[in-house]
PDB file of all heavy atoms in Angstrom:
ATOM      1  N   TYR M   1      97.029  75.714 138.252  1.00  0.00           N
ATOM      2  CA  TYR M   1      97.019  76.467 137.008  1.00  0.00           C
ATOM      3  C   TYR M   1      97.437  75.567 135.845  1.00  0.00           C
ATOM      4  O   TYR M   1      98.480  74.901 135.975  1.00  0.00           O
ATOM      5  CB  TYR M   1      97.924  77.711 137.122  1.00  0.00           C
ATOM      6  CG  TYR M   1      97.340  78.696 138.131  1.00  0.00           C
ATOM      7  CD1 TYR M   1      97.691  78.648 139.451  1.00  0.00           C
ATOM      8  CD2 TYR M   1      96.412  79.641 137.718  1.00  0.00           C
ATOM      9  CE1 TYR M   1      97.086  79.491 140.356  1.00  0.00           C
ATOM     10  CE2 TYR M   1      95.792  80.499 138.627  1.00  0.00           C
ATOM     11  CZ  TYR M   1      96.188  80.439 139.973  1.00  0.00           C
ATOM     12  OH  TYR M   1      95.596  81.275 140.839  1.00  0.00           O
ATOM     13  N   ILE M   2      96.625  75.607 134.806  1.00  0.00           N
ATOM     14  CA  ILE M   2      96.853  74.654 133.688  1.00  0.00           C
ATOM     15  C   ILE M   2      97.011  75.483 132.395  1.00  0.00           C
ATOM     16  O   ILE M   2      96.166  76.323 132.071  1.00  0.00           O
ATOM     17  CB  ILE M   2      95.664  73.709 133.563  1.00  0.00           C
ATOM     18  CG1 ILE M   2      95.473  72.924 134.815  1.00  0.00           C
ATOM     19  CG2 ILE M   2      95.837  72.749 132.360  1.00  0.00           C
ATOM     20  CD1 ILE M   2      94.163  72.286 135.014  1.00  0.00           C
ATOM     21  N   ALA M   3      98.103  75.229 131.704  1.00  0.00           N
ATOM     22  CA  ALA M   3      98.379  75.929 130.442  1.00  0.00           C
ATOM     23  C   ALA M   3      97.356  75.467 129.383  1.00  0.00           C
ATOM     24  O   ALA M   3      97.141  74.275 129.169  1.00  0.00           O
ATOM     25  CB  ALA M   3      99.789  75.675 129.974  1.00  0.00           C
ATOM     26  N   VAL M   4      96.748  76.472 128.714  1.00  0.00           N
ATOM     27  CA  VAL M   4      95.877  76.147 127.616  1.00  0.00           C
ATOM     28  C   VAL M   4      96.635  76.161 126.315  1.00  0.00           C
ATOM     29  O   VAL M   4      96.311  75.479 125.323  1.00  0.00           O
ATOM     30  CB  VAL M   4      94.693  77.206 127.574  1.00  0.00           C
ATOM     31  CG1 VAL M   4      93.832  77.034 126.353  1.00  0.00           C
ATOM     32  CG2 VAL M   4      93.885  77.176 128.825  1.00  0.00           C
ATOM     33  N   VAL M   5      97.715  76.873 126.290  1.00  0.00           N
ATOM     34  CA  VAL M   5      98.615  77.004 125.163  1.00  0.00           C
ATOM     35  C   VAL M   5      99.956  76.366 125.497  1.00  0.00           C
ATOM     36  O   VAL M   5     100.529  76.577 126.514  1.00  0.00           O
ATOM     37  CB  VAL M   5      98.889  78.467 124.800  1.00  0.00           C
ATOM     38  CG1 VAL M   5      99.877  78.628 123.687  1.00  0.00           C
ATOM     39  CG2 VAL M   5      97.594  79.177 124.517  1.00  0.00           C
ATOM     40  N   THR M   6     100.431  75.454 124.618  1.00  0.00           N
ATOM     41  CA  THR M   6     101.708  74.752 124.890  1.00  0.00           C
ATOM     42  C   THR M   6     102.858  75.769 124.584  1.00  0.00           C
ATOM     43  O   THR M   6     102.636  76.767 123.871  1.00  0.00           O
ATOM     44  CB  THR M   6     101.896  73.557 124.026  1.00  0.00           C
ATOM     45  OG1 THR M   6     101.977  73.901 122.653  1.00  0.00           O
ATOM     46  CG2 THR M   6     100.758  72.544 124.250  1.00  0.00           C
ATOM     47  N   GLU M   7     104.015  75.428 125.052  1.00  0.00           N
ATOM     48  CA  GLU M   7     105.168  76.326 124.765  1.00  0.00           C
ATOM     49  C   GLU M   7     105.459  76.314 123.270  1.00  0.00           C
ATOM     50  O   GLU M   7     105.793  77.382 122.686  1.00  0.00           O
ATOM     51  CB  GLU M   7     106.369  75.759 125.494  1.00  0.00           C
ATOM     52  CG  GLU M   7     107.582  76.637 125.402  1.00  0.00           C
ATOM     53  CD  GLU M   7     108.702  76.251 126.338  1.00  0.00           C
ATOM     54  OE1 GLU M   7     108.740  75.110 126.828  1.00  0.00           O
ATOM     55  OE2 GLU M   7     109.576  77.120 126.593  1.00  0.00           O
ATOM     56  N   GLN M   8     105.268  75.163 122.551  1.00  0.00           N
ATOM     57  CA  GLN M   8     105.496  75.151 121.118  1.00  0.00           C
ATOM     58  C   GLN M   8     104.453  75.987 120.379  1.00  0.00           C
ATOM     59  O   GLN M   8     104.854  76.712 119.408  1.00  0.00           O
ATOM     60  CB  GLN M   8     105.453  73.667 120.602  1.00  0.00           C
ATOM     61  CG  GLN M   8     106.572  72.829 121.114  1.00  0.00           C
ATOM     62  CD  GLN M   8     106.409  72.376 122.608  1.00  0.00           C
ATOM     63  OE1 GLN M   8     105.316  72.401 123.141  1.00  0.00           O
ATOM     64  NE2 GLN M   8     107.522  72.009 123.227  1.00  0.00           N
ATOM     65  N   GLU M   9     103.196  75.947 120.832  1.00  0.00           N
ATOM     66  CA  GLU M   9     102.208  76.770 120.207  1.00  0.00           C
ATOM     67  C   GLU M   9     102.518  78.287 120.399  1.00  0.00           C
ATOM     68  O   GLU M   9     102.395  79.042 119.466  1.00  0.00           O
ATOM     69  CB  GLU M   9     100.807  76.468 120.745  1.00  0.00           C
ATOM     70  CG  GLU M   9     100.247  75.170 120.373  1.00  0.00           C
ATOM     71  CD  GLU M   9      98.985  74.791 121.117  1.00  0.00           C
ATOM     72  OE1 GLU M   9      98.834  75.219 122.336  1.00  0.00           O
ATOM     73  OE2 GLU M   9      98.160  74.056 120.594  1.00  0.00           O
ATOM     74  N   TYR M  10     102.960  78.613 121.578  1.00  0.00           N
ATOM     75  CA  TYR M  10     103.306  80.005 121.852  1.00  0.00           C
ATOM     76  C   TYR M  10     104.475  80.444 121.022  1.00  0.00           C
ATOM     77  O   TYR M  10     104.454  81.541 120.386  1.00  0.00           O
ATOM     78  CB  TYR M  10     103.642  80.185 123.366  1.00  0.00           C
ATOM     79  CG  TYR M  10     104.058  81.594 123.709  1.00  0.00           C
ATOM     80  CD1 TYR M  10     103.091  82.548 123.811  1.00  0.00           C
ATOM     81  CD2 TYR M  10     105.393  81.881 123.904  1.00  0.00           C
ATOM     82  CE1 TYR M  10     103.441  83.892 124.093  1.00  0.00           C
ATOM     83  CE2 TYR M  10     105.741  83.207 124.178  1.00  0.00           C
ATOM     84  CZ  TYR M  10     104.781  84.187 124.309  1.00  0.00           C
ATOM     85  OH  TYR M  10     105.163  85.501 124.571  1.00  0.00           O
ATOM     86  N   GLN M  11     105.521  79.598 120.908  1.00  0.00           N
ATOM     87  CA  GLN M  11     106.657  79.950 120.089  1.00  0.00           C
ATOM     88  C   GLN M  11     106.249  80.135 118.653  1.00  0.00           C
ATOM     89  O   GLN M  11     106.676  81.103 117.977  1.00  0.00           O
ATOM     90  CB  GLN M  11     107.763  78.854 120.201  1.00  0.00           C
ATOM     91  CG  GLN M  11     108.410  78.821 121.528  1.00  0.00           C
ATOM     92  CD  GLN M  11     109.306  77.591 121.745  1.00  0.00           C
ATOM     93  OE1 GLN M  11     109.229  76.599 120.973  1.00  0.00           O
ATOM     94  NE2 GLN M  11     110.167  77.658 122.739  1.00  0.00           N
ATOM     95  N   LYS M  12     105.398  79.271 118.136  1.00  0.00           N
ATOM     96  CA  LYS M  12     104.905  79.401 116.761  1.00  0.00           C
ATOM     97  C   LYS M  12     104.151  80.734 116.568  1.00  0.00           C
ATOM     98  O   LYS M  12     104.394  81.468 115.562  1.00  0.00           O
ATOM     99  CB  LYS M  12     104.013  78.242 116.443  1.00  0.00           C
ATOM    100  CG  LYS M  12     103.529  78.235 115.012  1.00  0.00           C
ATOM    101  CD  LYS M  12     102.690  76.990 114.740  1.00  0.00           C
ATOM    102  CE  LYS M  12     102.150  77.020 113.320  1.00  0.00           C
ATOM    103  NZ  LYS M  12     101.370  75.832 112.991  1.00  0.00           N
ATOM    104  N   MET M  13     103.234  81.046 117.508  1.00  0.00           N
ATOM    105  CA  MET M  13     102.512  82.324 117.395  1.00  0.00           C
ATOM    106  C   MET M  13     103.396  83.504 117.423  1.00  0.00           C
ATOM    107  O   MET M  13     103.247  84.463 116.654  1.00  0.00           O
ATOM    108  CB  MET M  13     101.466  82.424 118.540  1.00  0.00           C
ATOM    109  CG  MET M  13     100.299  81.490 118.376  1.00  0.00           C
ATOM    110  SD  MET M  13      99.096  81.732 119.665  1.00  0.00           S
ATOM    111  CE  MET M  13      99.923  81.131 121.142  1.00  0.00           C
ATOM    112  N   GLN M  14     104.431  83.479 118.345  1.00  0.00           N
ATOM    113  CA  GLN M  14     105.329  84.650 118.451  1.00  0.00           C
ATOM    114  C   GLN M  14     106.260  84.778 117.259  1.00  0.00           C
ATOM    115  O   GLN M  14     106.568  85.831 116.869  1.00  0.00           O
ATOM    116  CB  GLN M  14     106.129  84.471 119.760  1.00  0.00           C
ATOM    117  CG  GLN M  14     105.337  84.716 120.997  1.00  0.00           C
ATOM    118  CD  GLN M  14     104.641  86.066 120.987  1.00  0.00           C
ATOM    119  OE1 GLN M  14     105.260  87.104 120.896  1.00  0.00           O
ATOM    120  NE2 GLN M  14     103.315  86.052 121.066  1.00  0.00           N
ATOM    121  N   THR M  15     106.610  83.632 116.712  1.00  0.00           N
ATOM    122  CA  THR M  15     107.472  83.679 115.496  1.00  0.00           C
ATOM    123  C   THR M  15     106.679  84.312 114.357  1.00  0.00           C
ATOM    124  O   THR M  15     107.237  85.183 113.645  1.00  0.00           O
ATOM    125  CB  THR M  15     107.945  82.253 115.104  1.00  0.00           C
ATOM    126  OG1 THR M  15     108.684  81.712 116.213  1.00  0.00           O
ATOM    127  CG2 THR M  15     108.776  82.309 113.847  1.00  0.00           C
ATOM    128  N   HIS M  16     105.469  83.915 114.143  1.00  0.00           N
ATOM    129  CA  HIS M  16     104.629  84.504 113.073  1.00  0.00           C
ATOM    130  C   HIS M  16     104.389  85.989 113.371  1.00  0.00           C
ATOM    131  O   HIS M  16     104.534  86.786 112.446  1.00  0.00           O
ATOM    132  CB  HIS M  16     103.256  83.800 112.987  1.00  0.00           C
ATOM    133  CG  HIS M  16     103.336  82.464 112.303  1.00  0.00           C
ATOM    134  ND1 HIS M  16     103.432  82.363 110.937  1.00  0.00           N
ATOM    135  CD2 HIS M  16     103.394  81.215 112.775  1.00  0.00           C
ATOM    136  CE1 HIS M  16     103.517  81.110 110.609  1.00  0.00           C
ATOM    137  NE2 HIS M  16     103.496  80.365 111.689  1.00  0.00           N
ATOM    138  N   HIS M  17     104.164  86.342 114.628  1.00  0.00           N
ATOM    139  CA  HIS M  17     103.910  87.723 114.957  1.00  0.00           C
ATOM    140  C   HIS M  17     105.181  88.572 114.625  1.00  0.00           C
ATOM    141  O   HIS M  17     105.112  89.627 114.006  1.00  0.00           O
ATOM    142  CB  HIS M  17     103.586  87.866 116.432  1.00  0.00           C
ATOM    143  CG  HIS M  17     103.350  89.268 116.951  1.00  0.00           C
ATOM    144  ND1 HIS M  17     102.302  90.034 116.620  1.00  0.00           N
ATOM    145  CD2 HIS M  17     104.180  90.061 117.702  1.00  0.00           C
ATOM    146  CE1 HIS M  17     102.419  91.215 117.140  1.00  0.00           C
ATOM    147  NE2 HIS M  17     103.534  91.256 117.807  1.00  0.00           N
ATOM    148  N   PHE M  18     106.351  88.102 115.084  1.00  0.00           N
ATOM    149  CA  PHE M  18     107.637  88.769 114.864  1.00  0.00           C
ATOM    150  C   PHE M  18     107.903  88.910 113.378  1.00  0.00           C
ATOM    151  O   PHE M  18     108.218  89.977 112.878  1.00  0.00           O
ATOM    152  CB  PHE M  18     108.733  88.012 115.553  1.00  0.00           C
ATOM    153  CG  PHE M  18     110.087  88.544 115.249  1.00  0.00           C
ATOM    154  CD1 PHE M  18     110.585  89.694 115.879  1.00  0.00           C
ATOM    155  CD2 PHE M  18     110.919  87.930 114.334  1.00  0.00           C
ATOM    156  CE1 PHE M  18     111.850  90.251 115.625  1.00  0.00           C
ATOM    157  CE2 PHE M  18     112.186  88.456 114.010  1.00  0.00           C
ATOM    158  CZ  PHE M  18     112.663  89.630 114.681  1.00  0.00           C
ATOM    159  N   LEU M  19     107.704  87.805 112.668  1.00  0.00           N
ATOM    160  CA  LEU M  19     107.980  87.827 111.164  1.00  0.00           C
ATOM    161  C   LEU M  19     107.146  88.802 110.513  1.00  0.00           C
ATOM    162  O   LEU M  19     107.599  89.609 109.661  1.00  0.00           O
ATOM    163  CB  LEU M  19     107.817  86.427 110.640  1.00  0.00           C
ATOM    164  CG  LEU M  19     108.171  86.231 109.187  1.00  0.00           C
ATOM    165  CD1 LEU M  19     109.604  86.524 108.891  1.00  0.00           C
ATOM    166  CD2 LEU M  19     107.800  84.786 108.673  1.00  0.00           C
ATOM    167  N   ASN M  20     105.839  88.828 110.843  1.00  0.00           N
ATOM    168  CA  ASN M  20     104.946  89.790 110.158  1.00  0.00           C
ATOM    169  C   ASN M  20     105.142  91.196 110.578  1.00  0.00           C
ATOM    170  O   ASN M  20     105.130  92.082 109.751  1.00  0.00           O
ATOM    171  CB  ASN M  20     103.500  89.359 110.507  1.00  0.00           C
ATOM    172  CG  ASN M  20     103.066  88.096 109.758  1.00  0.00           C
ATOM    173  OD1 ASN M  20     103.556  87.799 108.652  1.00  0.00           O
ATOM    174  ND2 ASN M  20     102.216  87.336 110.416  1.00  0.00           N
ATOM    175  N   ARG M  21     105.436  91.427 111.847  1.00  0.00           N
ATOM    176  CA  ARG M  21     105.603  92.797 112.374  1.00  0.00           C
ATOM    177  C   ARG M  21     106.947  93.410 111.864  1.00  0.00           C
ATOM    178  O   ARG M  21     106.925  94.528 111.443  1.00  0.00           O
ATOM    179  CB  ARG M  21     105.596  92.785 113.904  1.00  0.00           C
ATOM    180  CG  ARG M  21     105.599  94.155 114.538  1.00  0.00           C
ATOM    181  CD  ARG M  21     105.243  94.114 116.031  1.00  0.00           C
ATOM    182  NE  ARG M  21     106.107  93.176 116.713  1.00  0.00           N
ATOM    183  CZ  ARG M  21     107.253  93.538 117.328  1.00  0.00           C
ATOM    184  NH1 ARG M  21     107.609  94.811 117.384  1.00  0.00           N
ATOM    185  NH2 ARG M  21     107.941  92.611 117.989  1.00  0.00           N
ATOM    186  N   ILE M  22     107.987  92.653 111.907  1.00  0.00           N
ATOM    187  CA  ILE M  22     109.314  93.234 111.658  1.00  0.00           C
ATOM    188  C   ILE M  22     109.660  93.057 110.149  1.00  0.00           C
ATOM    189  O   ILE M  22     110.205  93.961 109.527  1.00  0.00           O
ATOM    190  CB  ILE M  22     110.435  92.565 112.512  1.00  0.00           C
ATOM    191  CG1 ILE M  22     110.078  92.719 114.007  1.00  0.00           C
ATOM    192  CG2 ILE M  22     111.786  93.125 112.188  1.00  0.00           C
ATOM    193  CD1 ILE M  22     110.015  94.168 114.456  1.00  0.00           C
ATOM    194  N   TYR M  23     109.336  91.949 109.561  1.00  0.00           N
ATOM    195  CA  TYR M  23     109.807  91.616 108.186  1.00  0.00           C
ATOM    196  C   TYR M  23     108.610  91.512 107.218  1.00  0.00           C
ATOM    197  O   TYR M  23     108.797  91.041 106.089  1.00  0.00           O
ATOM    198  CB  TYR M  23     110.587  90.270 108.153  1.00  0.00           C
ATOM    199  CG  TYR M  23     111.901  90.437 108.864  1.00  0.00           C
ATOM    200  CD1 TYR M  23     112.074  90.045 110.180  1.00  0.00           C
ATOM    201  CD2 TYR M  23     112.973  91.010 108.190  1.00  0.00           C
ATOM    202  CE1 TYR M  23     113.255  90.204 110.883  1.00  0.00           C
ATOM    203  CE2 TYR M  23     114.222  91.145 108.858  1.00  0.00           C
ATOM    204  CZ  TYR M  23     114.342  90.753 110.179  1.00  0.00           C
ATOM    205  OH  TYR M  23     115.543  90.885 110.790  1.00  0.00           O
ATOM    206  N   GLU M  24     107.445  91.973 107.599  1.00  0.00           N
ATOM    207  CA  GLU M  24     106.231  91.949 106.764  1.00  0.00           C
ATOM    208  C   GLU M  24     106.032  90.607 106.137  1.00  0.00           C
ATOM    209  O   GLU M  24     105.632  90.422 105.012  1.00  0.00           O
ATOM    210  CB  GLU M  24     106.315  93.067 105.722  1.00  0.00           C
ATOM    211  CG  GLU M  24     106.371  94.451 106.286  1.00  0.00           C
ATOM    212  CD  GLU M  24     106.496  95.557 105.274  1.00  0.00           C
ATOM    213  OE1 GLU M  24     106.690  95.284 104.075  1.00  0.00           O
ATOM    214  OE2 GLU M  24     106.444  96.714 105.718  1.00  0.00           O
ATOM    215  N   GLY M  25     106.316  89.553 106.949  1.00  0.00           N
ATOM    216  CA  GLY M  25     106.092  88.155 106.488  1.00  0.00           C
ATOM    217  C   GLY M  25     107.164  87.602 105.555  1.00  0.00           C
ATOM    218  O   GLY M  25     107.063  86.513 105.070  1.00  0.00           O
ATOM    219  N   ASN M  26     108.239  88.351 105.327  1.00  0.00           N
ATOM    220  CA  ASN M  26     109.245  87.903 104.357  1.00  0.00           C
ATOM    221  C   ASN M  26     110.360  87.129 105.066  1.00  0.00           C
ATOM    222  O   ASN M  26     111.264  87.696 105.721  1.00  0.00           O
ATOM    223  CB  ASN M  26     109.818  89.165 103.666  1.00  0.00           C
ATOM    224  CG  ASN M  26     110.787  88.786 102.534  1.00  0.00           C
ATOM    225  OD1 ASN M  26     111.480  87.833 102.611  1.00  0.00           O
ATOM    226  ND2 ASN M  26     110.758  89.655 101.505  1.00  0.00           N
ATOM    227  N   VAL M  27     110.280  85.773 104.944  1.00  0.00           N
ATOM    228  CA  VAL M  27     111.242  84.902 105.624  1.00  0.00           C
ATOM    229  C   VAL M  27     112.623  85.133 105.096  1.00  0.00           C
ATOM    230  O   VAL M  27     113.617  85.129 105.787  1.00  0.00           O
ATOM    231  CB  VAL M  27     110.793  83.463 105.456  1.00  0.00           C
ATOM    232  CG1 VAL M  27     111.893  82.513 106.071  1.00  0.00           C
ATOM    233  CG2 VAL M  27     109.455  83.207 106.134  1.00  0.00           C
ATOM    234  N   ARG M  28     112.721  85.345 103.799  1.00  0.00           N
ATOM    235  CA  ARG M  28     114.012  85.569 103.157  1.00  0.00           C
ATOM    236  C   ARG M  28     114.830  86.754 103.781  1.00  0.00           C
ATOM    237  O   ARG M  28     115.973  86.672 104.037  1.00  0.00           O
ATOM    238  CB  ARG M  28     113.900  85.776 101.637  1.00  0.00           C
ATOM    239  CG  ARG M  28     115.202  85.956 100.929  1.00  0.00           C
ATOM    240  CD  ARG M  28     115.014  86.048  99.468  1.00  0.00           C
ATOM    241  NE  ARG M  28     114.650  84.727  99.009  1.00  0.00           N
ATOM    242  CZ  ARG M  28     114.448  84.421  97.750  1.00  0.00           C
ATOM    243  NH1 ARG M  28     114.545  85.370  96.842  1.00  0.00           N
ATOM    244  NH2 ARG M  28     114.077  83.184  97.398  1.00  0.00           N
ATOM    245  N   SER M  29     114.045  87.811 104.102  1.00  0.00           N
ATOM    246  CA  SER M  29     114.657  88.935 104.708  1.00  0.00           C
ATOM    247  C   SER M  29     115.189  88.635 106.105  1.00  0.00           C
ATOM    248  O   SER M  29     116.270  89.078 106.529  1.00  0.00           O
ATOM    249  CB  SER M  29     113.679  90.145 104.826  1.00  0.00           C
ATOM    250  OG  SER M  29     113.371  90.629 103.570  1.00  0.00           O
ATOM    251  N   LEU M  30     114.453  87.832 106.835  1.00  0.00           N
ATOM    252  CA  LEU M  30     114.867  87.431 108.196  1.00  0.00           C
ATOM    253  C   LEU M  30     116.146  86.639 108.110  1.00  0.00           C
ATOM    254  O   LEU M  30     117.113  86.862 108.776  1.00  0.00           O
ATOM    255  CB  LEU M  30     113.790  86.590 108.871  1.00  0.00           C
ATOM    256  CG  LEU M  30     114.161  85.886 110.129  1.00  0.00           C
ATOM    257  CD1 LEU M  30     114.609  86.865 111.223  1.00  0.00           C
ATOM    258  CD2 LEU M  30     113.001  85.008 110.651  1.00  0.00           C
ATOM    259  N   VAL M  31     116.121  85.644 107.226  1.00  0.00           N
ATOM    260  CA  VAL M  31     117.348  84.725 107.133  1.00  0.00           C
ATOM    261  C   VAL M  31     118.505  85.575 106.599  1.00  0.00           C
ATOM    262  O   VAL M  31     119.658  85.427 107.128  1.00  0.00           O
ATOM    263  CB  VAL M  31     116.997  83.599 106.160  1.00  0.00           C
ATOM    264  CG1 VAL M  31     118.302  82.787 105.851  1.00  0.00           C
ATOM    265  CG2 VAL M  31     115.948  82.707 106.712  1.00  0.00           C
ATOM    266  N   SER M  32     118.261  86.528 105.698  1.00  0.00           N
ATOM    267  CA  SER M  32     119.341  87.371 105.190  1.00  0.00           C
ATOM    268  C   SER M  32     119.932  88.205 106.322  1.00  0.00           C
ATOM    269  O   SER M  32     121.190  88.292 106.431  1.00  0.00           O
ATOM    270  CB  SER M  32     118.765  88.283 104.131  1.00  0.00           C
ATOM    271  OG  SER M  32     119.740  89.209 103.709  1.00  0.00           O
ATOM    272  N   THR M  33     119.120  88.729 107.183  1.00  0.00           N
ATOM    273  CA  THR M  33     119.592  89.505 108.340  1.00  0.00           C
ATOM    274  C   THR M  33     120.388  88.611 109.259  1.00  0.00           C
ATOM    275  O   THR M  33     121.517  89.039 109.712  1.00  0.00           O
ATOM    276  CB  THR M  33     118.403  90.063 109.140  1.00  0.00           C
ATOM    277  OG1 THR M  33     117.681  90.973 108.258  1.00  0.00           O
ATOM    278  CG2 THR M  33     118.869  90.864 110.367  1.00  0.00           C
ATOM    279  N   LEU M  34     119.935  87.370 109.520  1.00  0.00           N
ATOM    280  CA  LEU M  34     120.705  86.471 110.406  1.00  0.00           C
ATOM    281  C   LEU M  34     122.084  86.235 109.828  1.00  0.00           C
ATOM    282  O   LEU M  34     123.089  86.162 110.534  1.00  0.00           O
ATOM    283  CB  LEU M  34     119.902  85.213 110.574  1.00  0.00           C
ATOM    284  CG  LEU M  34     118.639  85.262 111.389  1.00  0.00           C
ATOM    285  CD1 LEU M  34     117.871  83.935 111.374  1.00  0.00           C
ATOM    286  CD2 LEU M  34     118.874  85.731 112.774  1.00  0.00           C
ATOM    287  N   LEU M  35     122.110  85.981 108.519  1.00  0.00           N
ATOM    288  CA  LEU M  35     123.400  85.688 107.874  1.00  0.00           C
ATOM    289  C   LEU M  35     124.339  86.936 107.779  1.00  0.00           C
ATOM    290  O   LEU M  35     125.497  86.801 108.094  1.00  0.00           O
ATOM    291  CB  LEU M  35     123.160  85.158 106.519  1.00  0.00           C
ATOM    292  CG  LEU M  35     122.491  83.737 106.451  1.00  0.00           C
ATOM    293  CD1 LEU M  35     122.111  83.400 104.969  1.00  0.00           C
ATOM    294  CD2 LEU M  35     123.337  82.715 107.057  1.00  0.00           C
ATOM    295  N   GLN M  36     123.800  88.078 107.446  1.00  0.00           N
ATOM    296  CA  GLN M  36     124.551  89.249 107.271  1.00  0.00           C
ATOM    297  C   GLN M  36     125.175  89.723 108.620  1.00  0.00           C
ATOM    298  O   GLN M  36     126.252  90.322 108.660  1.00  0.00           O
ATOM    299  CB  GLN M  36     123.766  90.374 106.618  1.00  0.00           C
ATOM    300  CG  GLN M  36     123.473  90.109 105.205  1.00  0.00           C
ATOM    301  CD  GLN M  36     122.490  91.134 104.653  1.00  0.00           C
ATOM    302  OE1 GLN M  36     122.071  92.085 105.260  1.00  0.00           O
ATOM    303  NE2 GLN M  36     122.101  90.939 103.366  1.00  0.00           N
ATOM    304  N   GLN M  37     124.403  89.549 109.681  1.00  0.00           N
ATOM    305  CA  GLN M  37     124.872  90.031 111.007  1.00  0.00           C
ATOM    306  C   GLN M  37     125.697  88.995 111.758  1.00  0.00           C
ATOM    307  O   GLN M  37     126.030  89.222 112.918  1.00  0.00           O
ATOM    308  CB  GLN M  37     123.622  90.426 111.845  1.00  0.00           C
ATOM    309  CG  GLN M  37     122.788  91.520 111.246  1.00  0.00           C
ATOM    310  CD  GLN M  37     123.576  92.796 111.074  1.00  0.00           C
ATOM    311  OE1 GLN M  37     124.268  93.219 111.960  1.00  0.00           O
ATOM    312  NE2 GLN M  37     123.432  93.416 109.940  1.00  0.00           N
ATOM    313  N   ASP M  38     126.054  87.924 111.111  1.00  0.00           N
ATOM    314  CA  ASP M  38     126.842  86.819 111.740  1.00  0.00           C
ATOM    315  C   ASP M  38     126.166  86.390 113.035  1.00  0.00           C
ATOM    316  O   ASP M  38     126.845  86.100 114.053  1.00  0.00           O
ATOM    317  CB  ASP M  38     128.299  87.294 111.981  1.00  0.00           C
ATOM    318  CG  ASP M  38     129.099  87.399 110.708  1.00  0.00           C
ATOM    319  OD1 ASP M  38     128.789  86.698 109.750  1.00  0.00           O
ATOM    320  OD2 ASP M  38     129.988  88.253 110.656  1.00  0.00           O
ATOM    321  N   VAL M  39     124.845  86.289 113.047  1.00  0.00           N
ATOM    322  CA  VAL M  39     124.128  85.810 114.247  1.00  0.00           C
ATOM    323  C   VAL M  39     124.264  84.324 114.358  1.00  0.00           C
ATOM    324  O   VAL M  39     124.382  83.757 115.497  1.00  0.00           O
ATOM    325  CB  VAL M  39     122.640  86.243 114.125  1.00  0.00           C
ATOM    326  CG1 VAL M  39     121.834  85.615 115.263  1.00  0.00           C
ATOM    327  CG2 VAL M  39     122.463  87.746 114.120  1.00  0.00           C
ATOM    328  N   LEU M  40     124.331  83.634 113.260  1.00  0.00           N
ATOM    329  CA  LEU M  40     124.494  82.157 113.224  1.00  0.00           C
ATOM    330  C   LEU M  40     125.959  81.810 113.161  1.00  0.00           C
ATOM    331  O   LEU M  40     126.698  82.286 112.354  1.00  0.00           O
ATOM    332  CB  LEU M  40     123.764  81.555 112.008  1.00  0.00           C
ATOM    333  CG  LEU M  40     122.273  81.765 111.949  1.00  0.00           C
ATOM    334  CD1 LEU M  40     121.764  81.275 110.583  1.00  0.00           C
ATOM    335  CD2 LEU M  40     121.558  81.062 113.054  1.00  0.00           C
TER     336      LEU M  40
END
């Protein structure tokens, strides 16, 4: 079995999907949430 999609490509696709689905593509909102929730 041979991967057609690399792990990095998958991570990139999933990041875009998550950002668009949850934050409507707004990166600033994502970063704001990370900072406000003391995730980092």
Side-chain angles (χ1 to χ4, degrees):
Y1 292 91
I2 303 161
V4 175
V5 176
T6 68
E7 188 171 18
Q8 293 76 22
E9 289 171 331
Y10 179 75
Q11 290 170 344
K12 183 178 178 180
M13 287 184 292
Q14 289 304 302
T15 300
H16 283 282
H17 176 75
F18 174 78
L19 183 62
N20 289 330
R21 187 170 53 95
I22 304 299
Y23 292 97
E24 297 178 354
N26 189 324
V27 176
R28 181 175 290 181
S29 293
L30 169 61
V31 172
S32 175
T33 299
L34 293 172
L35 294 172
Q36 290 172 3
Q37 299 299 315
D38 289 329
V39 174
L40 297 173

